[in-house]
């Protein structure tokens, strides 16, 4: 009943059409991914919400695939013949580093396009005629981040993946060391690839996504999460906090973010450092969000949710100690839900009345509650 009510709340505030044409590729990607997850759940739970959601998803996909070629120039994908891939331009028509988090310089392609691939995987499963009609455009997005073969001369092989490390690097063709912050958005990309291959009945695309996802899961569990088996490989401060903020070549384990949490001070900031390793919550999240990891992030998430529990709370500036915003707090609740029944109940109680506006963009209460109930 909680999930059915959350589907109703999420669907009543599903407004993809309001920003599909105007937000950046990351914002639209998260939004269309959330709509696809919600539509899939609607079908699974036997509600009719997917009917309106499918129209919104299709309309937005057609804009970004340039079938309905009416997006502003800055949001139109172009093909780059130098590096081999898709890019976007800035407001002035130039490819700036700061446009869409560095997308024109190949930063974060797997993050942004992963959400589109997830949405495509959902939509083409239920509209095979549309998928066949626009197959080449669909494959262009998949090939940009998941091309399996050197025989394809238009795109590099699995652009962001480091086969030796097993993880992916978010950095593109920019100076300096490579780094990656959100391991879970990498996982979302390869899940999207595998699901799209399954929906298209393409065993090569499906298999590529599955192998890349399996490598990523194993490596994220090894390098991004503090767990029982790898506890001693982490420095003491990370043993205490349970997660890595990002991995960078020059220093490897980094406990920081490249953006401002709200509030951007500890102990609340722990919630964003954990949450960026959780977003988005989908059907495969259970493969890395489990009791073992929950045990190791329990303290830092408790401090983020309840700052007064932190050991150094009395030393903090009182004006800094406002509550962590609800969306990142929700990720912490979900992350520690697998620990035991009491944390599961607390997480469900917290999410039970939330709307999309209360959560991080691209995240739905229905999907988060489904994870909380199903996983534990």
């Amino acid at each position: 009943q909680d999930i059915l009510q959350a589907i109703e709340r999420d669907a009543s505030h599903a407004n993809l059409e309001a920003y599909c044409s105007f937000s950046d590729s990351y914002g639209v990607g998260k939004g269309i991914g959330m709509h696809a997850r919600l539509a899939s759940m609607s079908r699974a739970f036997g509600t009719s919400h997917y009917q309106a959601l499918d129209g919104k998803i299709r309309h937005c996909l057609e804009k970004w695939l340039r079938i309905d070629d009416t997006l502003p120039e800055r949001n139109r994908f172009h093909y780059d013949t130098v590096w081999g891939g898709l890019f976007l331009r800035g407001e002035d028509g130039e490819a700036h580093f700061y446009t869409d988090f560095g997308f024109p310089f190949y930063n974060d392609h797997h993050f942004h396009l992963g959400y589109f691939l997830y949405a495509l995987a959902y939509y083409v499963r239920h509209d095979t005629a549309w998928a066949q009609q626009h197959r080449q455009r669909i494959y262009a997005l998949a090939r940009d981040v998941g091309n399996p073969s050197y025989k394809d001369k238009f795109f590099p092989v699995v652009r962001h993946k480091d086969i030796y490390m097993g993880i992916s690097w978010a950095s593109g063709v920019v100076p300096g060391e490579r780094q990656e912050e959100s391991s879970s958005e990498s996982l979302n990309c390869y899940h999207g690839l595998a699901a799209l291959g399954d929906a298209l009945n393409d065993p090569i695309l499906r298999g590529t996504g599955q192998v890349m996802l399996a490598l990523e899961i194993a490596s994220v569990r090894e390098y991004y999460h503090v767990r029982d088996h790898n506890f001693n490989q982490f420095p003491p401060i990370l043993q205490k906090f349970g997660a890595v903020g990002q991995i960078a070549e020059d220093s490897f384990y980094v406990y920081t973010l490249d953006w401002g949490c709200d509030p951007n001070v500890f102990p609340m900031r722990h919630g964003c450092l954990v949450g960026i390793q959780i977003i988005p919550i989908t059907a495969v999240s259970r493969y890395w969000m489990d009791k073992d990891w929950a045990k190791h992030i329990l303290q830092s998430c408790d401090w983020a949710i309840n700052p007064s529990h932190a050991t150094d709370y009395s030393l903090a500036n009182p004006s800094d100690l406002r509550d962590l915003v609800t969306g990142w707090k929700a990720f912490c609740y979900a992350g520690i839900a697998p620990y035991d029944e009491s944390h599961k109940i607390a997480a469900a109680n917290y999410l039970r009345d939330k709307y999309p506006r209360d959560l991080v963009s691209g995240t739905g209460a229905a999907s988060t509650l489904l994870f909380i109930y199903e996983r534990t």
Side-chain angles (χ1 to χ4, degrees):
Q1 191 63 35
D2 282 349
I3 294 169
L4 286 169
Q5 290 173 0
I7 290 172
E8 172 64 34
R9 289 197 309 277
D10 286 353
S12 69
H13 288 74
N15 61 339
L16 182 62
E17 69 281 3
Y19 56 88
C20 173
S21 297
F22 307 107
S23 186
D24 56 51
S25 55
Y26 185 55
V28 174
K30 288 194 293 183
I32 202 170
M34 180 266 191
H35 280 65
R37 176 69 171 158
L38 181 60
S40 180
M41 289 185 62
S42 168
R43 289 176 181 268
F45 279 82
T47 79
S48 61
H49 300 96
Y50 72 88
Q51 295 170 1
L53 291 167
D54 282 6
K56 297 173 188 282
I57 293 166
R58 174 175 175 164
H59 186 62
C60 192
L61 285 173
E62 288 184 346
K63 285 181 175 291
W64 283 80
L65 290 173
R66 299 189 66 175
I67 299 163
D68 172 14
D69 199 12
T70 57
L71 289 178
E73 177 60 28
R74 63 183 173 84
N75 283 347
R76 294 182 184 182
F77 286 126
H78 298 271
Y79 179 76
D80 170 19
T81 58
V82 177
W83 293 101
L86 302 178
F87 74 96
L88 296 165
R89 303 183 191 275
E91 294 284 359
D92 58 1
E94 297 296 324
H96 296 291
F97 176 73
Y98 53 78
T99 299
D100 285 15
F101 302 91
F103 193 95
F105 284 72
Y106 296 97
N107 285 5
D108 299 353
H109 275 215
H110 56 330
F111 294 169
H112 299 213
L113 297 185
Y115 288 105
F116 285 94
L117 294 172
Y118 182 89
L120 281 164
Y122 163 76
Y123 189 76
V124 304
R125 184 177 296 279
H126 302 290
D127 192 342
T128 54
W130 184 89
Q132 192 59 40
Q133 182 181 0
H134 304 298
R135 193 177 182 90
Q136 294 305 316
R137 295 175 187 269
I138 294 167
Y139 270 85
L141 265 64
R143 289 160 67 198
D144 186 80
V145 292
N147 170 32
S149 174
Y150 288 105
K151 293 180 180 179
D152 186 339
K153 301 302 182 184
F154 293 94
F155 296 92
V157 172
V158 196
R159 182 183 306 279
H160 291 277
K161 174 69 79 170
D162 184 328
I163 296 296
Y164 178 79
M165 286 289 297
I167 62 170
S168 298
W169 298 107
S171 306
V173 289
V174 293
E177 72 280 350
R178 295 177 295 179
Q179 62 84 32
E180 173 158 284
E181 194 171 71
S182 179
S183 61
S184 51
E185 288 179 305
S186 286
L187 292 156
N188 184 57
C189 175
Y190 303 124
H191 175 213
L193 275 176
L196 180 59
D198 193 57
L200 292 170
N201 196 28
D202 181 339
I204 295 176
L205 180 56
R206 180 176 61 240
T208 301
Q210 288 173 326
V211 170
M212 294 303 117
L213 178 60
L215 283 170
E216 201 85 13
I217 289 171
S219 298
V220 166
R221 290 170 64 96
E222 185 67 28
Y223 301 125
Y224 277 85
H225 296 176
V226 177
R227 296 174 172 272
D228 286 350
H229 81 275
N230 64 0
F231 184 81
N232 290 325
Q233 81 182 26
F234 290 96
I237 192 169
L238 293 184
Q239 291 175 350
K240 179 180 178 181
F241 295 149
V244 170
Q246 58 183 265
I247 287 178
E249 284 183 308
D250 60 341
S251 49
F252 207 68
Y253 296 137
V254 183
Y255 199 67
T256 191
L257 298 167
D258 290 334
W259 46 276
C261 187
D262 185 13
N264 199 34
V265 293
F266 291 108
M268 292 72 74
R269 198 173 187 223
H270 291 302
C272 293
L273 283 148
V274 169
I276 201 64
Q277 310 307 337
I278 291 177
I279 184 176
I281 295 177
T282 67
V284 295
S285 298
R286 66 185 185 275
Y287 292 115
W288 57 91
M289 292 172 66
D290 57 13
K291 184 173 183 176
D292 185 7
W293 189 42
K295 179 177 74 173
H296 291 280
I297 60 173
L298 199 60
Q299 178 177 267
S300 51
C301 273
D302 177 50
W303 290 355
I305 294 167
N306 305 291
S308 62
H309 294 181
T311 53
D312 296 332
Y313 176 78
S314 62
L315 304 179
N317 182 342
S319 64
D320 289 338
L321 293 176
R322 53 192 172 84
D323 274 358
L324 178 66
V325 292
T326 57
W328 293 102
K329 194 181 287 189
F331 284 134
C332 253
Y333 271 110
I336 59 179
Y339 184 66
D340 60 20
E341 187 69 14
S342 67
H343 286 85
K344 168 186 170 180
I345 292 170
N349 287 340
Y350 183 76
L351 267 296
R352 194 170 279 127
D353 62 351
K354 297 297 182 288
Y355 287 83
R357 65 174 179 268
D358 301 318
L359 303 175
V360 177
S361 173
T363 303
S367 183
T368 308
L369 278 167
L370 182 63
F371 168 79
I372 290 166
Y373 283 128
E374 283 290 301
R375 183 62 190 87
T376 55

